Each structure stands twice: as structure tokens, then as C-alpha cells.
């Protein structure tokens, strides 16, 4: 349980959140163009649920990865 607490505290550090948002914007936009580009260019409605997921997943992956790396560095320096 202490691991999860530390992970969440680390993942919500301002620097990690800001970096993860930047990654999510770039990767999420690319994923949306790949996954729903046809619908967009054909004038069909988008699946807003999938639009959200295309941004949420890269955000989560980026913030988790950055938090784990920071935790590992802290363990090595301890």
C-alpha cells in the first residue's frame, strides 16, 4: 500500500503532470487522427468516449513511467 501512495504522490508532482499533459496532447492527437481520421474527414460524428481515451491513456502511461523512474532514482540514491 505504501508503494501506491508513493506512486500517486510522485505522479501528481507538478513537473510530471505538466510533462504528461504535453505528451498526451501530442500522442492523443496522433491517435485520434489514426483511429478516427476517416470519420472526421467524412464528416461523420466522432466517438467522444474514444477521443477521451486517446488522450487519457498516453497521459497515464507517461505519468506512470516518469513517476516510476523518479522513484527508482530515489531508491538508488538512498
Amino acid at each position: 500500500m505504501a508503494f501506491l501512495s508513493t506512486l500517486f504522490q510522485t505522479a501528481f508532482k507538478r513537473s510530471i503532470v505538466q510533462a504528461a499533459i504535453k505528451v498526451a496532447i501530442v500522442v492523443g492527437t496522433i491517435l485520434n487522427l489514426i483511429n478516427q481520421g476517416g470519420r472526421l474527414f467524412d464528416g461523420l460524428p466522432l466517438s467522444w468516449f474514444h477521443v477521451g481515451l486517446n488522450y487519457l491513456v498516453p497521459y497515464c502511461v507517461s505519468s506512470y513511467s516518469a513517476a516510476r523512474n523518479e522513484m527508482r532514482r530515489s531508491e538508488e540514491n538512498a
Side-chain angles (χ1 to χ4, degrees), residues 12-59:
F12 285 110
K13 286 185 176 180
R14 183 179 181 91
S15 61
I16 290 178
V17 169
Q18 288 175 334
I21 288 172
K22 291 175 186 174
V23 169
I25 289 170
V26 172
V27 176
T29 301
I30 292 168
L31 288 174
N32 276 309
L33 287 173
I34 291 169
N35 294 330
Q36 299 194 71
R39 296 184 66 80
L40 182 67
F41 296 123
D42 290 342
L44 298 171
L46 299 178
S47 168
W48 291 103
F49 174 74
H50 291 105
V51 169
L53 283 179
N54 284 332
Y55 288 101
L56 180 63
V57 170
Y59 175 85

